[in-house]
Amino acid sequence: MQTRKKYIFLTFLASWLLLFLFGGDQLRRFSFFSGRKAEARRNWPRWTDRSLLKSFADAEELQRDGDPSLLSPRERRAAWLSVYRGSRCRMETCFDFSRCEKHGFKVFTYPQERGQPVSETYGKILSSIERSRYHTAKPEEACLFILSIDTLDRDHLSGQYVRDVDEKIRSFPLWNGGRNHLIFNLYSGTWPDYAGDLGFDIGQAILAKASFDTESFRPGFDISIPLFSKEHPQRGGDRGWLSQDSVPPRKKYLLVFKGKRYLTGIGSGTRNALHHIHNGKDIISLTTCKHGKDWEKHKDTRCDRDNIDYERFDYQELLHNSTFCIVPRGRRLGSFRFLEALQAACIPVLLSDGWELPFAEAIDWGKAAVVGSERLLLQIPSAVRCIHPERVLAFQQQTQFLWDAYFSSVDKIVHTTLEIIKDRLSPHRSRSRFLWNALPGGLLVLPDFSTHLGDFPFYYLQHGYSPSKKFTAFIRVVSQGGSLSQPILRLIQAVSGSQYCAQIVVLWSCEKPPPPSGKWPQTTVPLTIIQGRRQLSDRFFPFEAIQTDAVLSLDEDTSLSTSEVDFAFLVWRSFPERIVGFPTQSHFWDPEQGRWGYTSRWTNELSIVLTAAAFYHRYYHSLFTEYLPAGLRELVDGLAACEDILMNVLVAAVTKLPPIKVTQRKQHKDVVAQQAEVKGTAGSRRFSQRQDCLNQLADWFGYMPLVSSQLRLDPVLFKDQVSVLRKKYPSLEK
Amino acid sequence: IMCASAKYNTRGPALIPRMKTKHRIYYITLFSIVLLGLIATGMFQFWPHSIESSSDWTVEKRSVHDVPVVKLPADSPIPERGDLSCRMHTCFDVYRCGFNPKNKIKVYIYSLKKYVDEYGTSVSNTISREYNELLTAISDSEFYTDDVNRACLFVPSIDVLNQNALRIKETAQALAQLSRWDRGTNHLLFNMLPGGPPDYNTALDVPRDRALLAGGGFSTWTYRQGYDVSIPVYSPLSGEVDLPERGPGPRRFFILSSQMALHPEYRLELEALQAENGESVLILDKCTNLSDGVPAVRKRCYKNQVFDYPQVLQESTFCIVLRGARLGQAVLSDVLQAGCVPVIIADSYILPFSEVLDWKRASVVIPEEKIPEMYSILQSIPQRQIEEMQRQARWFWEAYFRSMKAIALATLQIINDRIYPYAAISYEEWNDPPAVKWSSVSNPLFLPLIPPQSQGFTAVVLTYDRVESLFRVITEVSKVPSLSKLLVVWNNQNKNPPEDSLWPKIRVPLKVVRTAENKLSNRFFPYDEIETEAVLAIDDDIIMLTSDELQFGYEVWREFPDRLVGYPGRLHLWDHEMNKWKYESEWTNEVSMVLTGAAFYHKYFNYLYTYKMPGDIKNWVDAHMNCEDIAMNFLVANVTGKSVIKVTPRKKFKCPECTAIDGLSLDQTHMVERSECINKFASVFGTMPLKVVEHRADPVLYKDDFPEKLKSFPNIGSL
């Protein structure tokens, strides 16, 4: 025992001596000494005379930043016009704002010329614009012009390449050097360097192009769009693939890539290196040499083995089962892979240096993708491994939101492009970056309605606001009597009895003028009468008179009690983005007829809340009137009873959520049921019209936005065996 | 590569076997001898080095005039002009930054030198007060390194903040001879006043080759997006004048212009506005008849009225920031400080830190040509939004404008975010003022998804030893169609779970997890065995819920996957007499909590409960063996901002042994304890996150006059 201790002691002594003799320089780097080192860290000195130092500019110089000898601002702006053109275009020098002042943001598409067929994709782009609410057929009204010449594919080796574009556009009287024109392009340049050359002079036109490189991109002027295939749907579009939010992500693979490896030429650098990160376990990076006709000429030693590995995995399978997807540059900077990964909720890991990301002016890609550097490929595995699981979950959800909001159809891509340009025209009435990157997305938020986040139904929680504590009752009167019927008087009494009612607005849509104010019942809240234009869609017009966030939409023959209204309003305050109401209906897919069916019978589900008695946010009036194209509103006005279905479809398309049904007294429903029976043939005509309406709307939206719900919200003690005295809403149980 | 973040398992403290006391003393003595020796070694070995370096750096008693002088020969090289096509991937050497777990770039500062030309005339002022503050801030920050070999970014100590004070060619030569210049790669220059007469370039005229420029006055033509950083022009007034933040509310003027050197053409346009709109518009100018000794820069005049600057800015709702000869104006900083909403009129100007700051939330940008329409444009902005813009403006000043330190750190952070994009600071962190960060929630499950029904749910039953009751629960729950797995958490370490053959035979997999300690938090552990999103937490004595009720609960959860969906509801109330929160289990018209003795929720909340529970709540709950359900309610409400959903009518939760939920709840001491929990949690969370609602969810046709057999969930509410 003793000897062992001695040995230990000796060893310590020896090592100390060794340290003493040889330690010196090497030891200085030891973190062991970090305590000392921090002390000696050579920081920027604290100068003794630092308080005597002069300022970088004296106050006078800073405040008198003027020079009278300069050009006057007007002259300077005029001079800019001639200097900053072509590749240095900006909105203020190459865009004529005055064209947009009188008629607002209107877009004109050149008429199609005979013998000038356009590609399927360009056809879709044109029809998106024609379907949009900004389209105009009159060039003199237009603010923005779109050519009828197909400029999507400017690879002169391609079959779609249109020749002599220069000559053609010069012959257009409206061309005007390209001012206020928007040109779409997906492919530019060709083998071998795939430069951004379009093969014609775009002059002062705005370029909306895929695979834009930051160098030729004119910031604040051009728009980078994503590359999409010709199968990309016109409207609607497939949903994202994310069906569950799991933490940690339960996916088989961490990071995948499967694609071509270019043996030579531009883009080969990155693609040639991708195989280095393949580990065969959770990182799958597969390349094949097979592409083009003469790949075997350039083939290297890896090719055969790589090609075999490549065949062993299925691209779709990888896409579905991986958390991250590498999206490297191809010959061009952007690739189809980008949108494919986005849809698949496979977080894109971008390896495409110098790519101006799609819609980067609006979209914050840092929330949905990992923007890597081609030079640091080998760091990618460790970098993505270190991303927190919560962040991965947020990334995944953001990919789905962005896909659905801006990319899933040609309509969305084109409309996003237009909205970005529109936002530039009046910066004070434009969407903040927050709006573009939060649900439900920029397209569904109208800055003309308001630029204040608290005025929309979507941002209460994110910004700590709450919806207003009162509502506006909005009653539509269509009956031809011209006098006030009993039901409407009762309704006004019941509604004005609610402690949450701020005002009552009556939309008088009859031929006869409304009764004089003396005939209306005396109410404690202000009552306003608006003369309507006798159109069905009128009831969703954003009337100035509606001042509260919540609108209680009512028909004149609706029967409600005060406590029903009170309870429903409190429920709405918990779900301000949804429609909350009483009578409901539901839709279903009818496989026999191959169309959507509709039922107003009692069912276990609901997807439509009738606007005869429903609460919703007043913003939906603006969305209904301003966002939906005029054609759709005309369709609704043409059918007898479709406007409330459209409202439900619209809100469901925005929120992706079902409406909410609240308790109603039984007697009310009996009345409705009786009425339905009485109507007989008229009722069945109405029924089939509503069914038609539903199908036309589904067709217009490109999918069926309605979502079903299986629940109803009742007061907490509803029909519980408790004393009635304990209950806040006893009358609802009658 | 290890990343701490990816680890989920909590590691217990390692046990150190206690040595015998005698031995311990022996070893301690030995250790101290060695330690003393090492210190002695250090003294001996490193003393001379320290003296060497301190001669250069550490001695604080030095003046900026004592720095080494460097003579620049007339023919010393000049860098190329700035390259307009530079981007991070072309001109920046990322390999210098490397991969590091902290995701922080390392910044090196060159030591201060005095540069003179061949004739001994100095090239510039040695260093300005502001640049010295900026370098001090970098040096004190986490970014700083004194090791030039480890640096990713180099900051020259040559002060180029103000181009007017520079000799351009010589300054460029001084840059070129820096030891790591290498065409300016990874060098960062700070400039606030670029250009000079007659053309006033919008970027620093000093040739700088590939160096990054943090410039205060870029136009869209000189700014290299994603490479340069646009910074504010610092206003030294910020340090001199204290303007306390002003609350919202009407201000004396609607529009104010305070700049002294406006171009006459602009002034005419503004005066026209004033003539049109009367006293709500105030256009100030310099004062002509000030008595001596009054600093002209601190006064503004309108006719004979004299106003204090910058205090007058607080009197107005909107303050005009017009371009002068340069685009960037120091007045922007003063305006933000005053909480006045800047109206920026400077076509093509790149606003400070525009790469990360959302200026639309703090300012109004008006094209120069639209000055005549300014009044009506500003009138159209809703009052509530103006108040928010004022708050936002003030926040931008406090966070990014108020000192050279703030400017320096924001600049470095932006560059850092480009190099480590996967660790970048989010939009919200950059832009939300503290009040918004505090009052807002960011729901981790923000995407409106209705999970597919086919996925089903996993029932997690926490049990100790009530086997008989447990088996009954298992049998009952197994009847629910959407059950996909049953997990029994066996919390009893002293007793083994029953043999496999004794368990009820059910149609779904049944797993038993044995725990290491009898802790309540075991119920909320994110077990790998839970493969579904939906979790049904259920006590081992809840046998009264029908299969319809449970199935319906699952359907409701699918419609509200980010909420707690449960059966028995509870309420918290403010007790005015005691001035604290009180727990309520009576039959009330309101609910704010659901008991997790029977509740559906997302598995993500298990993860949050186990790893992200604030403060010591988790341990506190385990120690008190109570309130884990209240803690879960707090957690979910706090992170989502949403209320719970109570499903189906109230029932008597009767049970054979009667120790569960209601039985216990009636116990008076139990109630007191639960109230204490609420108060404790509210203080840890710093707020009361629970939301009170008056609704519960029932099937659409619940209690309706309708044949029961046609209802999806007929057996609801039976006692």
Side-chain angles (χ1 to χ4, degrees):
Chain A
M1 202 62 183
Q2 281 298 323
T3 40
R4 230 177 85 186
K5 274 177 203 163
K6 252 181 221 161
Y7 279 125
I8 293 172
F9 185 73
L10 269 174
T11 329
F12 270 113
L13 211 68
S15 49
W16 173 60
L17 265 171
L18 278 170
L19 273 173
F20 186 81
L21 290 174
F22 306 110
D25 274 0
Q26 293 90 322
L27 267 179
R28 264 209 296 177
R29 282 160 224 257
F30 262 48
S31 54
F32 195 79
F33 291 96
S34 61
R36 263 193 59 79
K37 228 184 137 195
E39 204 183 302
R41 196 170 89 153
R42 296 176 302 170
N43 279 329
W44 183 254
R46 301 281 190 272
W47 306 106
T48 47
D49 48 357
R50 60 182 183 273
S51 54
L52 301 175
L53 290 174
K54 277 213 249 162
S55 182
F56 76 109
D58 59 48
E60 191 79 14
E61 187 182 358
L62 281 173
Q63 293 186 1
R64 290 182 175 275
D65 177 41
D67 192 337
S69 67
L70 284 179
L71 285 178
S72 86
R74 201 163 288 143
E75 285 166 348
R76 187 195 64 235
R77 291 200 294 270
W80 275 6
L81 295 185
S82 55
V83 179
Y84 296 118
R85 18 191 344 164
S87 66
R88 306 216 277 172
C89 265
R90 296 293 183 271
M91 290 303 272
E92 57 265 36
T93 62
C94 293
F95 194 89
D96 184 358
F97 286 86
S98 64
R99 277 192 161 278
C100 314
E101 263 158 26
K102 199 159 166 213
H103 300 281
F105 186 66
K106 288 285 170 204
V107 186
F108 172 78
T109 46
Y110 281 60
Q112 298 266 26
E113 284 179 44
R114 273 173 203 212
Q116 249 330 316
V118 297
S119 65
E120 195 187 331
T121 312
Y122 200 61
K124 282 183 189 168
I125 290 179
L126 292 179
S127 98
S128 285
I129 293 165
E130 277 151 22
R131 277 157 47 84
S132 99
R133 63 184 187 278
Y134 300 124
H135 183 252
T136 177
K138 298 181 196 142
E140 62 276 11
E141 280 185 0
C143 161
L144 195 66
F145 297 84
I146 317 280
L147 293 177
S148 60
I149 303 171
D150 184 350
T151 50
L152 288 185
D153 194 342
R154 300 305 296 165
D155 180 341
H156 65 78
L157 297 179
S158 151
Q160 311 267 17
Y161 185 81
V162 181
R163 278 162 216 291
D164 308 323
V165 174
D166 262 329
E167 257 171 55
K168 282 180 192 133
I169 51 178
R170 251 178 272 133
S171 71
F172 293 140
L174 296 168
W175 174 247
N176 189 19
R179 262 175 113 76
N180 292 33
H181 280 64
L182 172 64
I183 288 172
F184 285 94
N185 174 262
L186 291 180
Y187 309 96
S188 63
T190 187
W191 174 263
D193 59 350
Y194 295 90
D197 177 35
L198 291 182
F200 67 98
D201 179 15
I202 60 165
Q204 304 185 41
I206 298 174
L207 186 57
K209 179 171 134 45
S211 300
F212 233 127
D213 63 307
T214 44
E215 214 174 300
S216 58
F217 183 77
R218 296 168 293 183
F221 190 71
D222 289 328
I223 291 179
S224 176
I225 58 171
L227 187 64
F228 56 92
S229 67
K230 59 174 192 292
E231 290 81 33
H232 209 60
Q234 171 84 59
R235 60 187 96 157
D238 296 334
R239 305 200 61 165
W241 294 355
L242 187 73
S243 62
Q244 58 170 315
D245 295 324
S246 40
V247 166
R250 272 178 193 282
K251 297 227 181 169
K252 195 167 162 196
Y253 307 111
L254 175 72
L255 181 67
V256 299
F257 172 75
K258 187 183 179 204
K260 290 174 196 159
R261 174 154 75 94
Y262 305 127
L263 297 165
T264 55
I266 191 160
S268 58
T270 301
R271 293 248 174 157
N272 265 333
L274 281 167
H275 65 81
H276 287 295
I277 60 167
H278 178 79
N279 69 5
K281 289 183 220 112
D282 60 348
I283 299 179
I284 305 295
S285 182
L286 305 163
T287 51
T288 176
C289 303
K290 288 186 193 168
H291 65 91
K293 280 164 251 163
D294 55 350
W295 69 273
E296 278 176 316
K297 252 194 272 173
H298 304 284
K299 114 181 188 182
D300 57 21
T301 50
R302 290 193 60 90
C303 276
D304 288 326
R305 201 176 39 165
D306 282 354
N307 288 351
I308 294 168
D309 276 348
Y310 186 86
E311 300 301 332
R312 283 176 38 223
F313 289 87
D314 176 54
Y315 177 62
Q316 291 294 323
E317 200 255 347
L318 290 176
L319 211 52
H320 269 281
N321 293 305
S322 180
T323 309
F324 294 91
C325 281
I326 298 183
V327 180
R329 59 168 301 156
R331 293 297 193 196
R332 297 184 179 88
L333 291 167
S335 59
F336 294 122
R337 205 177 290 281
F338 181 62
L339 285 192
E340 285 163 359
L342 207 62
Q343 180 181 15
C346 186
I347 302 160
V349 177
L350 303 173
L351 294 176
S352 188
D353 288 349
W355 182 23
E356 175 69 28
L357 298 179
F359 303 135
E361 189 173 339
I363 294 176
D364 184 356
W365 283 106
K367 288 186 162 194
V370 178
V371 186
S373 160
E374 284 183 49
R375 292 180 291 176
L376 300 180
L377 168 70
L378 298 184
Q379 289 182 6
I380 293 291
S382 35
V384 297
R385 247 183 245 287
C386 283
I387 297 177
H388 289 247
E390 308 97 283
R391 191 117 195 247
V392 169
L393 181 63
F395 270 137
Q396 285 176 332
Q397 295 180 74
Q398 192 76 4
T399 60
Q400 301 297 282
F401 153 57
L402 292 177
W403 162 258
D404 189 67
Y406 307 116
F407 298 106
S408 67
S409 67
V410 177
D411 269 8
K412 284 175 186 162
I413 294 173
V414 170
H415 291 167
T416 308
T417 312
L418 294 182
E419 292 292 343
I420 288 177
I421 296 174
K422 180 171 178 275
D423 265 7
R424 294 173 185 166
L425 301 181
S426 44
H428 62 280
R429 277 235 165 263
S430 62
R431 300 163 179 87
S432 67
R433 218 170 155 74
F434 170 81
L435 288 178
W436 284 107
N437 292 286
L439 280 157
L443 299 187
L444 294 165
V445 171
L446 307 176
D448 290 324
F449 168 73
S450 173
T451 39
H452 178 59
L453 298 178
D455 288 337
F456 294 93
F458 315 117
Y459 312 113
Y460 291 121
L461 290 173
Q462 275 152 306
H463 277 260
Y465 308 119
S466 55
S468 60
K469 292 194 168 65
K470 300 255 173 172
F471 68 85
T472 301
F474 186 76
I475 308 172
R476 183 178 63 163
V477 181
V478 285
S479 64
Q480 301 306 313
S483 61
L484 296 172
S485 58
Q486 272 309 307
I488 190 171
L489 293 176
R490 271 205 303 271
L491 183 63
I492 289 175
Q493 286 306 343
V495 168
S496 65
S498 165
Q499 53 174 315
Y500 307 112
C501 183
Q503 56 171 155
I504 296 176
V505 176
V506 176
L507 176 65
W508 191 265
S509 293
C510 319
E511 267 174 60
K512 290 189 185 154
S517 53
K519 290 273 175 74
W520 293 88
Q522 292 294 314
T523 52
T524 47
V525 293
L527 189 143
T528 319
I529 294 142
I530 301 173
Q531 282 274 18
R533 289 171 304 135
R534 308 206 54 228
Q535 258 151 359
L536 289 166
S537 58
D538 225 23
R539 78 178 305 168
F540 300 124
F541 187 82
F543 292 103
E544 284 279 323
I546 303 174
Q547 289 293 337
T548 55
D549 288 339
V551 178
L552 169 59
S553 169
L554 297 163
D555 278 355
E556 58 191 304
D557 53 359
T558 304
S559 143
L560 281 181
S561 71
T562 306
S563 48
E564 278 174 305
V565 171
D566 282 349
F567 177 67
F569 178 67
L570 290 180
V571 170
W572 177 83
R573 279 181 46 93
S574 287
F575 305 96
E577 77 282 24
R578 307 204 203 185
I579 302 182
V580 174
F582 300 89
T584 56
Q585 294 170 343
S586 61
H587 77 290
F588 59 91
W589 178 249
D590 186 342
E592 278 173 31
Q593 302 202 26
R595 53 185 268 156
W596 292 100
Y598 152 89
T599 174
S600 56
R601 281 168 217 278
W602 286 0
T603 54
N604 286 297
E605 295 195 333
L606 65 104
S607 55
I608 297 168
V609 166
L610 299 187
T611 51
F615 280 99
Y616 51 78
H617 197 283
R618 82 185 165 116
Y619 174 62
Y620 290 123
H621 275 218
S622 285
L623 212 52
F624 189 96
T625 309
E626 315 286 343
Y627 170 76
L628 296 175
L632 203 54
R633 282 198 307 280
E634 279 160 24
L635 170 89
V636 167
D637 286 332
L639 295 164
C642 182
E643 79 283 358
D644 59 343
I645 299 186
L646 176 55
M647 190 52 146
N648 275 275
V649 167
L650 175 67
V651 175
V654 172
T655 60
K656 324 266 179 244
L657 295 169
I660 285 178
K661 177 182 175 65
V662 289
T663 336
Q664 51 190 142
R665 285 170 308 153
K666 231 185 245 156
Q667 64 183 72
H668 171 59
K669 266 187 298 187
D670 293 343
V671 173
V672 170
Q674 279 165 14
Q675 280 172 347
E677 275 163 38
V678 167
K679 277 179 187 164
T681 50
S684 79
R685 214 185 92 224
R686 184 184 147 91
F687 178 80
S688 79
Q689 276 200 334
R690 281 176 84 82
Q691 188 140 323
D692 275 354
C693 162
L694 194 63
N695 281 288
Q696 290 193 41
L697 294 181
D699 181 52
W700 194 89
F701 277 82
Y703 72 111
M704 170 48 79
L706 292 176
V707 186
S708 292
S709 168
Q710 302 195 55
L711 59 91
R712 180 182 81 198
L713 295 183
D714 295 332
V716 171
L717 297 179
F718 183 70
K719 299 212 171 163
D720 279 353
Q721 293 186 346
V722 201
S723 154
V724 171
L725 297 174
R726 273 182 178 270
K727 296 188 181 182
K728 187 171 172 190
Y729 303 100
S731 66
L732 298 194
E733 300 181 10
K734 279 172 195 154
Chain B
I1 303 282
M2 301 295 288
C3 12
S5 61
K7 290 263 166 249
Y8 302 119
N9 299 327
T10 41
R11 238 178 275 129
L15 294 177
I16 306 159
R18 289 177 70 83
M19 289 175 274
K20 283 184 191 160
T21 326
K22 220 170 73 185
H23 287 207
R24 225 171 30 174
I25 292 168
Y26 184 77
Y27 280 112
I28 287 172
T29 331
L30 199 71
F31 184 71
S32 13
I33 292 171
V34 173
L35 201 73
L36 275 172
L38 281 172
I39 291 168
T41 317
M43 300 277 271
F44 183 81
Q45 288 275 356
F46 308 132
W47 195 253
H49 300 282
S50 321
I51 288 172
E52 240 174 52
S53 58
S54 65
S55 70
D56 221 16
W57 289 91
T58 52
V59 169
E60 303 278 304
K61 310 271 182 295
R62 271 201 314 148
S63 152
V64 289
H65 301 293
D66 302 342
V67 296
V69 175
V70 179
K71 188 175 264 189
L72 298 166
D75 58 349
S76 78
I78 302 177
E80 302 268 310
R81 282 202 60 80
D83 182 354
L84 261 182
S85 67
C86 261
R87 292 294 181 275
M88 290 307 266
H89 67 279
T90 55
C91 295
F92 194 87
D93 182 3
V94 277
Y95 299 115
R96 283 187 180 280
C97 308
F99 178 75
N100 72 58
K102 276 197 197 152
N103 298 317
K104 281 261 183 265
I105 54 170
K106 289 279 162 215
V107 183
Y108 175 79
I109 305 174
Y110 287 98
S111 60
L112 188 63
K113 305 259 166 65
K114 184 181 168 70
Y115 294 93
V116 296
D117 63 12
E118 273 190 320
Y119 311 104
T121 324
S122 69
V123 166
S124 64
N125 299 331
T126 322
I127 189 164
S128 64
R129 187 187 337 136
E130 283 79 12
Y131 201 55
N132 181 50
E133 283 167 13
L134 182 139
L135 295 181
T136 308
I138 296 177
S139 164
D140 292 345
S141 75
E142 287 180 273
F143 295 108
Y144 179 68
T145 177
D146 60 356
D147 184 351
V148 72
N149 294 310
R150 289 173 58 199
C152 154
L153 201 61
F154 304 88
V155 179
S157 57
I158 303 166
D159 180 357
V160 292
L161 282 181
N162 183 353
Q163 189 184 314
N164 286 344
L166 298 177
R167 290 166 65 187
I168 288 176
K169 182 185 151 210
E170 287 78 6
T171 307
Q173 287 174 325
L175 288 173
Q177 56 74 52
L178 292 171
S179 60
R180 301 286 170 130
W181 178 249
D182 183 23
R183 299 192 58 199
T185 312
N186 295 22
H187 280 63
L188 174 64
L189 305 180
F190 286 88
N191 167 257
M192 287 180 176
L193 298 179
D199 57 345
Y200 288 97
N201 195 355
T202 52
L204 180 68
D205 281 319
V206 175
R208 55 187 191 275
D209 209 344
R210 295 173 149 191
L212 297 138
L213 182 61
F218 280 117
S219 77
T220 56
W221 290 287
T222 49
Y223 179 63
R224 296 168 292 183
Q225 186 139 27
Y227 192 66
D228 290 326
V229 181
S230 173
I231 59 169
V233 180
Y234 176 69
S235 170
L237 277 181
S238 305
E240 293 170 23
V241 190
D242 180 40
L243 294 179
E245 184 164 5
R246 239 186 99 147
R251 300 192 177 188
R252 203 169 138 202
F253 305 106
F254 186 59
I255 303 177
L256 175 79
S257 163
S258 66
Q259 286 163 285
M260 293 199 284
L262 293 181
H263 193 280
E265 199 177 299
Y266 288 138
R267 191 169 284 281
L268 277 179
E269 284 186 275
L270 293 181
E271 278 164 3
L273 267 183
Q274 188 177 24
E276 219 172 287
N277 299 295
E279 290 194 341
S280 61
V281 182
L282 181 66
I283 312 298
L284 297 173
D285 202 347
K286 59 176 173 285
C287 298
T288 46
N289 50 356
L290 281 180
S291 54
D292 290 342
V294 180
V297 293
R298 297 289 301 276
K299 296 286 171 195
R300 293 290 187 277
C301 286
Y302 171 65
K303 292 187 179 155
N304 292 323
Q305 279 176 282
V306 184
F307 295 89
D308 283 332
Y309 183 87
Q311 285 83 351
V312 64
L313 295 173
Q314 288 201 308
E315 300 293 317
S316 181
T317 306
F318 291 99
C319 294
I320 295 174
V321 180
L322 257 166
R323 63 165 294 161
R326 298 187 181 86
L327 286 166
Q329 296 289 317
V331 67
L332 177 60
S333 178
D334 298 337
V335 166
L336 295 175
Q337 182 182 11
C340 184
V341 180
V343 180
I344 292 155
I345 309 175
D347 288 359
S348 85
Y349 176 41
I350 303 283
L351 283 158
F353 303 126
S354 61
E355 188 169 335
V356 292
L357 299 190
D358 192 345
W359 279 98
K360 282 180 188 168
R361 283 170 65 182
S363 70
V364 185
V365 175
I366 291 183
E368 287 177 37
E369 288 198 339
K370 296 214 169 162
I371 294 179
E373 293 157 47
M374 174 163 49
Y375 196 85
S376 59
I377 288 175
L378 298 180
Q379 280 280 317
S380 73
I381 299 173
Q383 183 58 35
R384 283 200 293 169
Q385 192 186 350
I386 291 175
E387 281 166 20
E388 256 162 53
M389 288 169 116
Q390 289 171 337
R391 186 178 66 181
Q392 192 78 14
R394 176 76 184 193
W395 153 247
F396 277 1
W397 178 78
E398 277 170 9
Y400 310 112
F401 279 68
R402 75 179 304 159
S403 62
M404 292 303 287
K405 179 181 178 184
I407 296 172
L409 296 185
T411 308
L412 294 183
Q413 187 61 49
I414 288 174
I415 296 171
N416 196 75
D417 283 359
R418 292 179 191 158
I419 291 163
Y420 304 108
Y422 39 83
I425 287 190
S426 71
Y427 169 93
E428 286 75 16
E429 284 169 88
W430 281 110
N431 288 285
D432 287 348
V436 172
K437 284 191 184 118
W438 186 240
S439 64
S440 68
V441 293
S442 61
N443 189 347
L445 305 169
F446 61 85
L447 193 71
L449 272 184
I450 296 189
Q453 192 199 37
S454 57
Q455 202 183 65
F457 65 89
T458 307
V460 178
V461 193
L462 186 75
T463 191
Y464 191 74
D465 57 3
R466 287 186 293 205
V467 174
E468 190 190 338
S469 163
L470 170 70
F471 283 180
R472 275 186 70 190
V473 169
I474 292 175
T475 316
E476 287 303 313
V477 172
S478 71
K479 292 178 190 157
V480 184
S482 283
L483 178 75
S484 78
K485 193 191 251 182
L486 223 152
L487 197 66
V488 174
V489 180
W490 191 262
N491 226 0
N492 189 342
Q493 287 77 39
N494 305 321
K495 196 169 142 189
N496 287 335
E499 275 175 49
D500 286 356
S501 58
L502 298 175
W503 290 83
K505 300 284 169 288
I506 56 172
R507 54 170 190 88
V508 294
L510 190 151
K511 289 259 168 73
V512 180
V513 186
R514 299 199 60 181
T515 57
E517 270 181 274
N518 179 17
K519 289 198 288 190
L520 276 179
S521 56
N522 289 337
R523 123 171 295 169
F524 295 133
F525 189 83
Y527 297 101
D528 281 342
E529 284 80 2
I530 305 175
E531 289 172 284
T532 58
E533 279 180 84
V535 178
L536 167 67
I538 188 158
D539 282 348
D540 60 2
D541 53 2
I542 304 292
I543 45 171
M544 61 300 287
L545 288 171
T546 66
S547 169
D548 269 352
E549 283 167 339
L550 286 171
Q551 180 66 23
F552 177 66
Y554 171 65
E555 298 292 346
V556 172
W557 175 84
R558 284 179 56 231
E559 292 186 32
F560 303 99
D562 54 348
R563 303 189 190 221
L564 279 173
V565 173
Y567 297 85
R570 290 293 183 268
L571 184 65
H572 72 287
L573 290 169
W574 183 253
D575 187 335
H576 287 282
E577 281 169 29
M578 308 286 285
N579 240 351
K580 56 182 198 176
W581 297 107
K582 193 177 131 213
Y583 180 79
E584 181 61 78
S585 67
E586 284 296 305
W587 297 58
T588 57
N589 286 290
E590 293 163 322
V591 284
S592 62
M593 290 174 271
V594 290
L595 300 183
T596 52
F600 287 93
Y601 61 86
H602 198 286
K603 188 191 168 188
Y604 183 77
F605 297 125
N606 271 350
Y607 170 84
L608 281 188
Y609 188 98
T610 309
Y611 301 111
K612 304 277 154 136
M613 181 65 90
D616 60 342
I617 291 182
K618 197 174 151 229
N619 292 332
W620 195 86
V621 165
D622 284 336
H624 288 72
M625 282 300 252
N626 198 352
C627 298
E628 86 286 6
D629 49 353
I630 298 181
M632 188 57 138
N633 274 279
F634 266 74
L635 184 75
V636 176
N638 188 55
V639 78
T640 63
K642 295 181 179 175
S643 65
V644 295
I645 304 271
K646 173 187 161 36
V647 281
T648 68
R650 168 128 189 168
K651 5 170 106 186
K652 274 279 175 212
F653 275 76
K654 282 188 211 132
C655 51
E657 283 117 308
C658 255
T659 46
I661 305 165
D662 269 35
L664 251 179
S665 302
L666 292 172
D667 185 6
Q668 201 53 45
T669 56
H670 178 74
M671 297 293 291
V672 172
E673 226 175 88
R674 305 276 283 178
S675 294
E676 264 172 35
C677 289
I678 294 183
N679 285 296
K680 154 91 184 164
F681 298 164
S683 75
V684 172
F685 278 85
T687 175
M688 169 47 76
L690 299 178
K691 298 272 181 293
V692 179
V693 291
E694 299 190 354
H695 53 252
R696 71 161 201 247
D698 288 322
V700 175
L701 299 176
Y702 173 69
K703 294 270 179 182
D704 275 352
D705 245 349
F706 196 71
E708 291 293 316
K709 63 181 176 194
L710 293 179
K711 291 184 181 176
S712 307
F713 308 99
N715 193 5
I716 296 260
S718 59
L719 294 173

